[in-house]
Amino acid sequence: MAKEEYHPLFETRRGSGKFMYITFSFSVFVGICSIWIYRLNYISEEFEDGNWIVWIGLLFAELWFGFYWFLHQNLRWNPIFRQPLPQVLSQSRYEHMLPKVDIFVCTADPEIEPPIMVINTVLSVIAYDYPAEKLSVYLSDDAGSDVTFYAMLEASEFAKHWLPFCKRFKVEPRSPNAYFKTVNLDIYPNDAKEVFAIKKLYQEMENRVENASKLGKVPKEAYSNYKEFSQWDSYSSKRDHDTILQILLHRKDLNARDEDGFVMPTLVYMAREKRPHFPHNFKAGAMNSLIRVSSMISNGKIILNVDCDMYSNNSQSLRDALCFFMDEDKDGFGGPMYIGTGCFHRRDVLCGRKFDKQYRNDWNNNANEENINHMIEASLQDMEEKSKPLASCTYEENTSWGKEMGLLYGCAVEDIVTGLSILCKGWRSVYYNPTRKAFLGLSPTTLPEALVQHKRWSEGGFQILLSKFSPVWYAYGLISPGLQLAYCHYNMWVLNSFPTLYYCIIPSLFLLKGIPLFPQISSPWFIPFAYLIVGNSTYSLIEFLRVGGTIKGWWNDLRMWLYKRTSSYLFAFVDTMLKLIGFSNSGFIISTKVAEENVSQRYEKEIMEFGNSSPMLILLATIAMLNLFCLVGVLLKEVVLSGKGYGIFETMLLQVLLSGVLVVLNIPIYQGLFMRKDKGRMPISVAVKSTTLALSACVLFSALG
Ligand SMILES: O=c1ccn([C@@H]2O[C@H](COP(=O)(O)OP(=O)(O)O[C@H]3O[C@H](CO)[C@@H](O)[C@H](O)[C@H]3O)[C@@H](O)[C@H]2O)c(=O)[nH]1
Ligand SMILES: [Mn+2]
């Protein structure tokens, strides 16, 4: 008998332009080396002037920038593009082999993460184009909020209409909120009635949920209608309650059918047990409880994790992802990091399994279903009762959960460290960036929130560098050197803060004083500096435009790059050190997902939002003011007052340029400090503090010998 023909489920294409990039990167390397030589060469001369300490500082900064540049070179040397072939997967011979998929959504605070947003995410993933009996959606609610639970009850009812509607009209995206915002009724001239009807249903539900959110409690009639709320009887606070577990939809429940009478995916609400004296390990703890609880209820072989602030934008992406899992033909030499949301895993892998050559995608084999086999007879209530202990505070005591199994604990970026450990166990990951985005979500809309989020990320990365799982030593020999470098690049974000701060402050102060720290235009050493500035900015701009960005976007990105490096990363470094010596504890500051009306309006208009005073803002404003003073000071002194003309551009062009670029990048800060009247401006106190600090620095520095 002929062997069944092999049809690949995805294609891999190597990117072009590799040779050009390598040539360019070699020329940059030569430029970097020239700068190092220049610095070393002139340090000895500076010994006499007494400025050598400053030059050594510059040398270190330039050594660091060069080294850091090297870390990410290989990332661009071997770009790979993937294309799943879901049409092959949907052939009937695959259809019966499709594995069960469990989707985990996490939420942690009904005020920061509004229940209506959470259920929109839930509805978007429960509506994936996938066999209902193979799909299960779990919500972990780390706040144990009865309002979120109420919203889930409402969502499970609404889903009975939403799922058939999505199927009938091939709706995209399947988050009702996102869909109704964009739906064009002209496409459905004959069915407008149906669209209106479902929209009305949604809006009614939205009203009920939002009212409950506003009041902060569930309406009385709902409490009496649903006996499930009795689980909150023993609830005392977000940090102190029993496990609350509710199977909201399940094929065993005959009421859990959609309006056309079809079985629906499984839907479960879980708030794991919380006690004040037990560390709960934030999202990693929530995920691990979900892994265990789901193993009793559905035990899907594939797990998808999405944050509550990210909805599925494409009902087909589950099938796309499966193409990568179900094809035996593995290739690639590393793969991207696991970044918290929108990532598919094998359950086995999340549970700590190592890769071995014998491992086969045995999608039909139900042998390891023992977890749920004994549940076949069980009632839903039994199932819930049997699963609850798996979400208790004490369950993980003396186990390897959080250490070798599940998501790892103790790191501010549980996803990245877990992903690294998975790759070290021999697994490969695949990055797929489809034309129609698979997930869309929210990111902070104000500068302080963005900075806090980046502080958490960079701090987490740095923790990994210093941890047992460091990409430098732990990963050595376990993952490819290229991947190791890539992880180092990410894990060393915070170290950029010092050289960047140095470059943002020292050359400007010396400019004010009229002391050159860089070669003058006529010197041959000017060339490598000019080449690197022009070459690198052009390259980064082209890269940005090629992935669909705009020039303005690129410029804003550069600005954020500066702000992150000079504030978030510095504070992350300090905090990591304090934690190391035991002065502070880990936390997880959840990023805000709701913005006030006027904040959103400014965001739409692309006006930067500052808000309350914070040490990070003061630091940014001080650097901005300092550069403004230095630049204006030197121009006044040299060009206007002393009438020396433009000689300064000849001798100190690079310093003028550096200060100048910093001033232009900081324009939104000056506006926020002095020109704006709206609520999003910089607080007066920040203006006073930063101006005083910057002015004193300039005056003191000029006065010093
Ligand atoms: O104690 C907690 C704290 C947070 N979360 C959830 O974690 C998710 C991410 O939190 P968010 O405040 O949105 O942080 P982000 O910085 O946007 O998250 C990014 O960075 C995190 C840390 O690396 C990853 O976990 C996320 O998946 C990734 O999207 C949200 O769904 C939260 O509800 C919990 O479940 N329990
Ligand atoms: Mn988020």
Side-chain angles (χ1 to χ4, degrees), residues 223 229-236:
Y223 245 106
F229 282 109
S230 63
Q231 297 196 63
W232 268 266
D233 291 348
S234 64
Y235 178 92
S236 49

Side-chain angles (χ1 to χ4, degrees), residues 106-107 113 142 283 307 340 414-415 453 456-457 591 593:
C106 296
T107 186
E113 305 175 326
D142 262 349
K283 184 181 163 187
D307 293 345
E414 77 296 327
D415 44 352
Q453 188 183 43
R456 167 154 50 75
W457 289 347
S591 41
K593 279 101 190 171

Side-chain angles (χ1 to χ4, degrees), residues 372-670:
I372 54 169
N373 274 344
H374 72 274
M375 287 287 193
I376 289 174
E377 297 297 311
S379 70
L380 292 186
Q381 222 174 1
D382 282 348
M383 232 188 238
E384 285 163 2
E385 288 316 315
K386 289 205 171 106
S387 311
K388 273 186 186 179
L390 302 180
S392 76
C393 285
T394 48
Y395 183 87
E396 294 183 349
E397 282 180 353
N398 307 318
T399 68
S400 51
W401 282 96
K403 290 178 231 129
E404 275 136 48
M405 276 178 95
L407 278 89
L408 306 183
Y409 294 155
C411 178
V413 287
E414 77 296 327
D415 44 352
I416 314 286
V417 69
T418 306
L420 176 60
S421 80
I422 290 175
L423 291 168
C424 286
K425 288 190 178 121
W427 298 97
R428 297 268 180 270
S429 57
V430 165
Y431 175 68
Y432 174 50
N433 184 11
T435 332
R436 183 183 170 92
K437 296 274 168 278
F439 302 95
L440 289 178
L442 298 174
S443 60
T445 51
T446 76
L447 180 67
E449 278 162 18
L451 294 178
V452 167
Q453 188 183 43
H454 273 277
K455 179 179 163 264
R456 167 154 50 75
W457 289 347
S458 57
E459 189 173 330
F462 194 46
Q463 286 172 342
I464 299 179
L465 188 78
L466 305 178
S467 77
K468 174 183 153 202
F469 292 102
S470 176
V472 183
W473 48 86
Y474 177 78
Y476 178 75
L478 297 176
I479 58 179
S480 73
L483 201 56
Q484 235 182 317
L485 289 180
Y487 269 99
C488 287
H489 182 259
Y490 168 69
N491 295 158
M492 289 180 186
W493 274 0
V494 297
L495 298 179
N496 283 299
S497 58
F498 298 102
T500 310
L501 278 165
Y502 195 85
Y503 243 68
C504 287
I505 297 173
I506 302 297
S508 303
L509 285 174
F510 276 79
L511 172 69
L512 183 64
K513 228 174 163 179
I515 299 176
L517 298 177
F518 296 91
Q520 50 182 355
I521 292 194
S522 53
S523 153
W525 294 111
F526 183 81
I527 300 170
F529 280 97
Y531 178 69
L532 289 193
I533 294 169
V534 176
N536 279 334
S537 352
T538 317
Y539 175 80
S540 93
L541 177 61
I542 294 176
E543 191 177 65
F544 200 87
L545 297 178
R546 269 184 57 177
V547 295
T550 59
I551 296 188
K552 191 170 171 198
W554 173 76
W555 182 250
N556 287 337
D557 214 47
L558 189 66
R559 175 176 290 138
M560 281 311 292
W561 175 93
L562 176 73
Y563 293 173
K564 281 181 310 202
R565 283 187 164 206
T566 48
S567 62
S568 306
Y569 294 178
L570 178 73
F571 283 79
F573 179 86
V574 174
D575 260 17
T576 316
M577 291 301 138
L578 290 178
K579 270 170 208 158
L580 269 185
I581 52 176
F583 261 120
S584 89
N585 285 323
S586 320
F588 188 123
I589 303 180
I590 305 172
S591 41
T592 316
K593 279 101 190 171
V594 268
E596 286 166 37
E597 187 63 26
N598 58 52
V599 176
S600 316
Q601 279 169 7
R602 286 191 289 275
Y603 181 73
E604 294 299 325
K605 288 192 207 142
E606 303 191 13
I607 300 175
M608 200 172 251
E609 185 75 18
F610 298 106
N612 300 331
S613 171
S614 74
M616 287 205 241
L617 277 193
I618 297 176
L619 178 60
L620 289 183
T622 307
I623 297 172
M625 291 313 294
L626 184 124
N627 275 284
L628 187 65
F629 289 142
C630 291
L631 188 71
V632 172
V634 77
L635 292 181
L636 271 182
K637 208 163 73 184
E638 296 287 319
V639 182
V640 182
L641 297 183
S642 70
K644 273 195 221 147
Y646 298 95
I648 183 156
F649 292 108
E650 162 76 34
T651 51
M652 295 174 76
L653 180 69
L654 287 173
Q655 261 154 290
V656 176
L657 204 68
L658 181 58
S659 254
V661 170
L662 287 172
V663 167
V664 180
L665 278 175
N666 279 320
I667 288 176
I669 293 202
Y670 308 129

Side-chain angles (χ1 to χ4, degrees), residues 38 64 69 77 99 163 175 231 241 298 318 385 446 582 584 618-619 637 654 682 702:
Y38 160 79
W64 171 260
W69 168 88
W77 281 10
L163 300 192
S175 141
Q231 297 196 63
H241 61 80
S298 51
L318 225 169
E385 288 316 315
T446 76
S584 89
I618 297 176
L619 178 60
K637 208 163 73 184
L654 287 173
M682 289 257 198
S702 303

